[in-house]
Amino acid sequence: MSMTPTDHPGAPRTEAELRRQLAACYRVFAMLGWTELIYNHISVRVPGPQLHFLINPFGLHYTEVRASNLVKIDLDGRVVDGSGSRVNPAGFVLHSTLHRGLPDAHCVMHTHTTAGCAVACSRAGLSMDNFYSAQLHGRVAYHDFEGITVHAEEGPRVLRSIGDRQAVILRNHGLLSWAPTIPLAFATLWTLNRACEIQVAGAALGPTLPIPEAVQRQASADALQFSPAHGAGTDVFDALERLAANIDPSYRD
Ligand SMILES: [Zn+2]
């Protein structure tokens, strides 16, 4: 049975806390260069019985996102609470597909980083031969490209592609992760993106040294960053939030 958004380690208890954590996440993405002009989204389910989500208002750069200007929407992308803000409903379809179809996908994040897109476009996909990808054994799914906008009818195919995996390489497109919490989705996406960066940087150096599958399996089991017993990404996320706050604390407003 799925747990409610507040049952997970690191999950904020109130909407106000969640707004602040999500706004921090947008600023962390900006700090890492994981932005695409005014596009892309990080969405998260609001605590409570209703299927409502917070998302960035359309038209703002991630550095302009604040706790107070996040927009609350329903599963169909309709604004529930956002004081006249616009959202990009087409951009939310991919997110809503996961929120609707995966019981613990309370947070969904999606990027078009250059390294992530490069690997997504490569025929071979993610090489499992580096320190970071080796921690993602059995955690990465692939979904074939069907066009720049995900339409509702593609949803069942997206869910079939994902199965029970927490990270998705959207072929010819970009990266996506989901989790019960923002910190855990971030830990997964950061690891995947880092793996892609190393793969791209190493591509000019010729063939990689293989990592045997048994070692990948062990590395994935040993990866503390995903473990609930070790905070499920919260320590890392909180440290990066402090860094973002030092740059500009206005996200808290
Ligand atoms: Zn995209």
Side-chain angles (χ1 to χ4, degrees):
M1 201 181 112
S2 72
M3 300 199 285
T4 68
T6 53
D7 288 341
H8 298 272
R13 315 298 300 176
T14 65
E15 180 179 329
E17 288 170 17
L18 185 69
R19 280 179 174 269
R20 188 168 152 157
Q21 190 182 50
L22 180 59
C25 191
Y26 278 100
R27 299 300 183 93
V28 166
F29 271 41
M31 199 170 70
L32 296 173
W34 292 5
T35 54
E36 191 74 359
L37 304 177
I38 57 168
Y39 303 110
N40 291 348
H41 309 285
I42 310 162
S43 60
V44 67
R45 183 176 160 193
V46 176
Q50 284 175 306
L51 289 170
H52 288 160
F53 303 86
L54 294 171
I55 197 164
N56 48 326
F58 187 64
L60 295 190
H61 189 264
Y62 283 7
T63 54
E64 300 175 301
V65 172
R66 297 168 181 242
S68 57
N69 64 24
L70 289 164
V71 187
K72 198 194 291 189
I73 56 178
D74 66 14
L75 265 177
D76 296 314
R78 287 184 295 249
V79 176
V80 175
D81 174 12
S83 58
S85 296
R86 290 179 302 148
V87 293
N88 176 3
F92 183 60
V93 173
L94 178 60
H95 290 242
S96 65
T97 296
L98 275 77
H99 288 309
R100 204 188 297 267
L102 298 170
D104 285 330
H106 300 316
C107 176
V108 175
M109 42 182 73
H110 170 52
T111 55
H112 287 187
T113 59
T114 302
C117 288
V119 171
C121 295
S122 76
R123 194 179 290 274
L126 184 70
S127 159
M128 301 306 285
D129 297 343
N130 70 60
F131 184 79
Y132 297 98
S133 59
Q135 297 175 47
L136 294 170
H137 181 267
R139 289 193 166 105
V140 181
Y142 292 86
H143 179 68
D144 286 339
F145 189 62
E146 298 188 24
I148 60 166
T149 302
V150 173
H151 297 281
E153 51 91 25
E154 188 180 344
R157 291 191 291 281
V158 172
L159 293 173
R160 242 190 333 270
S161 298
I162 293 173
D164 62 352
R165 300 190 168 198
Q166 301 84 40
V168 192
I169 294 175
L170 299 161
R171 288 200 186 273
N172 307 101
H173 180 173
L175 306 180
L176 180 145
S177 71
W178 66 267
T181 65
I182 291 171
L184 187 54
F186 176 79
T188 301
L189 192 60
W190 183 85
T191 306
L192 178 57
N193 191 69
R194 190 88 179 99
C196 292
E197 287 176 345
I198 289 165
Q199 182 173 335
V200 169
L205 305 178
T208 51
L209 286 167
I211 297 178
E213 194 174 355
V215 177
Q216 295 171 25
R217 207 181 291 277
Q218 191 60 50
S220 297
D222 290 344
L224 294 185
Q225 53 181 338
F226 308 122
S227 154
H230 292 272
T234 50
D235 291 348
V236 165
F237 187 84
D238 291 350
L240 288 186
E241 178 175 347
R242 291 192 294 273
L243 209 52
N246 285 340
I247 295 169
D248 177 6
S250 69
Y251 72 89
R252 296 170 175 160
D253 300 341

